[in-house]
């Protein structure tokens, strides 16, 4: 049986453009999983798993990971910027990834999500503005504690540059 091929342009079709600004929170992936077609295994194998290779523990939990295509950032003529949701074992992250027009990888950054190491629970939310500024607020707390302490929060400003790189804004 001949192996199917999947072009980068087909991969991008899983990510509808959204209107900015957009907020990304703990439950945002539910909206996108209802609206967007799921990734077939070939797409995950060819386009997503190579992006995941550098994540700690990615190989050991690969069979337990789910991916949801979320959206494409509009008006990125010199590059493509997509966001997908990655659900692993106690590790849920929204990944922003940029590519050259031909599909060559540029940059990747986790911009929101929830994860724990068993002792500390980390939760992040993000807003992507129409000027490509990305505002991330991250809260930390005890995995056993039900009360959230806002004093343990920190804010990070990221910027998506015209060349597709993702930097910490000053």
């Amino acid at each position: 049986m001949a192996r199917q091929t999947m072009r980068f342009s087909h991969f991008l079709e899983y990510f509808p453009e959204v209107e900015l600004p957009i907020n990304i929170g703990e439950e945002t992936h539910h909206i996108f999983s209802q609206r967007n077609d799921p990734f077939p295994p070939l797409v995950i194998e060819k386009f997503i798993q190579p992006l995941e290779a550098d994540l700690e523990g990615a190989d050991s939990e690969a069979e337990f990971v789910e991916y949801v295509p979320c959206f494409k950032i509009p008006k990125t003529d010199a590059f493509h910027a997509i966001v997908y949701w990655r659900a692993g074992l106690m590790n849920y992250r929204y990944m922003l990834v940029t590519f050259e027009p031909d599909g060559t990888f540029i940059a990747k950054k986790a911009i929101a999500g929830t994860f724990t190491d068993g002792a500390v629970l980390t939760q992040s939310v993000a807003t992507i503005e129409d000027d490509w500024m990305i505002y991330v607020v991250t809260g930390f707390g005890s995995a056993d504690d039900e009360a959230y302490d806002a004093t343990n929060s920190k804010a990070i400003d990221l910027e998506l540059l015209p060349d597709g790189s993702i930097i910490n804004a000053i």
Side-chain angles (χ1 to χ4, degrees), residues 56-120:
E56 184 177 322
D59 289 338
S60 64
E61 68 175 23
E63 68 183 277
F64 303 108
V65 177
E66 175 187 352
Y67 302 98
V68 173
C70 294
F71 59 89
K72 183 176 189 297
I73 295 176
K75 301 177 184 164
T76 56
D77 299 329
F79 63 96
H80 299 285
I82 56 124
V83 173
Y84 67 89
W85 183 69
R86 177 196 193 280
L89 299 172
M90 298 303 297
N91 184 343
Y92 312 100
R93 296 182 190 203
Y94 291 90
M95 305 299 294
L96 170 62
V97 185
T98 58
F99 302 92
E100 297 284 343
D102 67 358
T104 303
F105 171 80
I106 300 173
K108 175 180 74 170
K109 185 82 171 171
I111 58 171
T114 301
F115 59 94
T116 184
D117 62 4
V120 176

Side-chain angles (χ1 to χ4, degrees), residues 14-159:
Y14 287 91
F15 300 91
E17 283 191 352
V18 294
E19 191 172 315
L20 299 178
I22 188 167
N23 296 313
I24 303 167
E26 187 175 350
E27 301 297 322
T28 307
H29 66 280
H30 290 301
I31 296 166
F32 292 107
S33 66
Q34 292 172 356
R35 292 182 187 167
N36 301 345
D37 290 334
F39 290 129
L42 181 61
V43 169
I44 292 170
E45 180 184 329
K46 184 169 183 177
F47 296 104
I48 300 295
Q49 285 179 339
L51 297 171
E52 300 280 309
D54 65 336
L55 290 177
E56 184 177 322
D59 289 338
S60 64
E61 68 175 23
E63 68 183 277
F64 303 108
V65 177
E66 175 187 352
Y67 302 98
V68 173
C70 294
F71 59 89
K72 183 176 189 297
I73 295 176
K75 301 177 184 164
T76 56
D77 299 329
F79 63 96
H80 299 285
I82 56 124
V83 173
Y84 67 89
W85 183 69
R86 177 196 193 280
L89 299 172
M90 298 303 297
N91 184 343
Y92 312 100
R93 296 182 190 203
Y94 291 90
M95 305 299 294
L96 170 62
V97 185
T98 58
F99 302 92
E100 297 284 343
D102 67 358
T104 303
F105 171 80
I106 300 173
K108 175 180 74 170
K109 185 82 171 171
I111 58 171
T114 301
F115 59 94
T116 184
D117 62 4
V120 176
L121 177 67
T122 303
Q123 292 181 295
S124 299
V125 295
T127 298
I128 303 174
E129 297 289 344
D130 56 3
D131 62 357
W132 298 347
M133 290 297 298
I134 304 162
Y135 301 104
V136 179
V137 176
T138 302
F140 306 91
S142 169
D144 299 327
D145 195 1
E146 292 182 24
Y148 174 73
D149 181 1
T151 61
N152 290 333
S153 296
K154 72 177 187 176
I156 301 169
D157 296 345
L158 304 171
E159 186 174 2

